[in-house]
Amino acid sequence: MMKTIIKFSTLFLTILFVACNDNNKHEIAMKYKTEFIFPKGDKITNNNFTGTAWLQMLVNNDSTYSTTIGNVTFEPGARTNWHKHPGGQILLVTDGTGFYQEKGKPAQLIRKGDVVKIPPDTEHWHGAGPSNSLTHIAISPNTDKGSVVWLQPVTDGEYSKIK
Ligand code: MN
């Protein structure tokens, strides 16, 4: 009888341990399961954007790296104003689809996984398409050459021409 009780206890404890262990693994998995690698950040409230966009700075400018890096999320319809970077810019698209356009050229569709190299002093805009959101990491190097030069908004007329 005693032996049976011990056996049952062992079995019960084993089941309990396995159950807890599974539960623990599940909890750990849930804790680290985030849809995006970097935080969405705060809503951008300045006039250099049209629509709703979010920014999380990842690297602030300093004299060692002369680079800023920000994670930017554009809701559908949101885009930057026309602008240029004296030191150029690189975009790493991490989610969704959107557009990149250089002045005088057609807008280009950009999607998750794309790398966009924007030459210095080239007037352009980037942002979401009308019905999809876009998230990209914006790397702005060579900040010693000057910071971003903001220009006029991308008008609804200009934006409506993207395909
Ligand atoms: Mn740019």
Side-chain angles (χ1 to χ4, degrees):
M1 182 62 182
M2 195 60 189
K3 212 174 180 183
T4 310
I5 289 168
I6 289 168
K7 264 189 188 165
F8 271 111
S9 303
T10 308
L11 181 64
F12 176 74
L13 284 172
T14 304
I15 289 167
L16 188 68
F17 176 76
V18 169
C20 284
N21 202 32
D22 262 12
N23 199 33
N24 198 29
K25 270 186 198 160
H26 178 70
E27 271 175 28
I28 290 167
M30 289 308 288
K31 186 176 172 184
Y32 290 98
K33 187 178 180 288
T34 51
E35 199 180 343
F36 301 104
I37 299 168
F38 297 109
K40 194 173 175 181
D42 300 314
K43 203 180 268 193
I44 297 170
T45 55
N46 63 52
N47 294 322
N48 302 320
F49 290 72
T50 297
T52 304
W54 304 75
L55 171 67
Q56 173 68 52
M57 283 312 295
L58 302 175
V59 174
N60 288 306
N61 191 37
D62 67 29
S63 58
T64 304
Y65 296 102
S66 300
T67 299
T68 66
I69 304 179
N71 185 39
V72 190
T73 300
F74 299 87
E75 293 187 1
R79 66 267 189 183
T80 67
N81 284 6
W82 291 99
H83 64 283
K84 46 193 180 180
H85 307 274
Q89 188 178 50
I90 297 168
L91 307 177
L92 308 178
V93 182
T94 56
D95 198 67
T97 60
F99 290 88
Y100 165 69
Q101 184 174 25
E102 291 180 6
K103 196 81 174 179
K105 296 182 183 177
Q108 298 173 49
L109 179 70
I110 57 175
R111 66 184 84 199
K112 182 177 178 174
D114 284 346
V115 176
V116 183
K117 291 172 85 177
I118 304 167
D121 295 318
T122 301
E123 191 171 338
H124 70 281
W125 66 269
H126 29 109
S131 51
N132 288 92
S133 61
L134 172 78
T135 303
H136 68 46
I137 292 172
I139 304 170
S140 303
N142 312 308
T143 53
D144 48 312
K145 292 182 179 166
S147 54
V148 55
V149 179
W150 288 107
L151 303 164
Q152 69 285 2
V154 176
T155 64
D156 287 344
E158 287 171 318
Y159 188 72
S160 69
K161 293 195 183 89
I162 63 176
K163 299 177 197 99

